[in-house]
Amino acid sequence: MMKQEGPATMKMIRLFAAAIALALAAATAALPQPAAAYSYAAAGKEPMLDGREAILSAVQKGDWDSVGQSVTGLQGEIAYLDENEAKGIKAEFDKAVTDKSADQMSAALNRAFVAEIERRLNGAKDNLKDYQTAKVLVVKAKLFFDAFSGDLDPAKRKTADAGLNQALEAIGNPGIFGAGSKPANPEAFQAAEDSILTALRG
């Protein structure tokens, strides 16, 4: 028969396990978190993507009350873009709602989406040493592009699409257990980003 541990021994084991757990938690918290600044890279809903569909659907119906409500629901995202990526974008959304202008609203949405694409490409560029984070960010950029690419001139759409494929290629590939691995190419990524943004803004 196995000897059963006494209460004192079991208490010591529990205290030791708790100490190890606390030490591991502290060590993990102290590690650098390169993706933390880009939490929007995580899988999940994208408010601007969902909001665009709701806004355009309401615009098509002429339901500007619903348009205004949808824009209000995106105030957090719009305020961030206005402050960091696309100065004046909030005023563009507000004016489109006030004027009840479908063209102004489409232009504001497209400008916001270009800013969202640039935001994610810059995040990927800053995280090229972290393949998974960079890949998710480029894929996110592609999702935003696909959502409004139908509004673009065909030649510009083709150029931007090719650039996104080049950006995905430029982040490299860790391979399988190291086999077939390919390092990231920062210069190629920068060239791809420049091509994308030139096409989208031109």
Side-chain angles (χ1 to χ4, degrees):
M1 293 179 63
M2 294 182 62
K3 182 181 177 181
Q4 292 187 348
E5 303 290 352
T9 302
M10 292 301 295
K11 182 177 181 181
M12 288 296 295
I13 291 173
R14 285 195 295 270
L15 288 172
F16 184 66
I20 291 175
L22 284 171
L24 287 173
T28 300
L31 290 174
Q33 303 293 327
Y38 302 100
S39 59
Y40 48 78
K45 291 185 177 181
E46 284 286 353
M48 288 296 294
L49 285 173
D50 296 335
R52 181 179 189 274
E53 294 305 312
I55 288 170
L56 292 181
S57 176
V59 167
Q60 189 174 29
K61 297 173 184 175
D63 184 357
W64 285 92
D65 286 340
S66 293
V67 173
Q69 290 170 11
S70 294
V71 170
T72 298
L74 295 174
Q75 282 305 301
E77 287 72 25
I78 293 172
Y80 177 89
L81 293 177
D82 191 84
E83 182 177 349
N84 299 281
E85 309 287 347
K87 300 295 183 183
I89 191 69
K90 183 181 184 303
E92 291 180 23
F93 274 103
D94 291 344
K95 189 172 189 305
V97 172
T98 299
D99 294 351
K100 298 183 179 180
S101 170
D103 289 342
Q104 288 178 32
M105 182 58 69
S106 179
L109 284 167
N110 288 353
R111 186 184 174 208
F113 271 50
V114 172
E116 292 283 10
I117 290 168
E118 181 177 13
R119 181 185 176 199
R120 280 146 179 87
L121 290 176
N122 284 336
K125 182 168 57 182
D126 291 341
N127 285 275
L128 286 178
K129 292 183 179 179
D130 182 343
Y131 171 75
Q132 289 299 333
T133 298
K135 181 178 180 180
V136 171
L137 284 163
V138 174
V139 169
K140 286 280 190 177
K142 183 70 161 60
L143 286 176
F144 277 96
F145 170 74
D146 288 342
F148 84 108
S149 61
D151 293 347
L152 298 172
D153 171 82
K156 293 177 180 178
R157 180 169 65 243
K158 183 177 180 180
T159 297
D161 190 47
L164 284 161
N165 289 330
Q166 290 164 9
L168 198 58
E169 181 74 16
I171 67 175
N173 194 316
I176 301 176
F177 299 112
S181 63
K182 180 181 176 183
N185 186 331
E187 292 78 14
F189 189 94
Q190 184 64 66
E193 181 180 10
D194 290 344
S195 175
I196 293 162
L197 296 178
T198 297
L200 294 180
R201 289 172 174 161

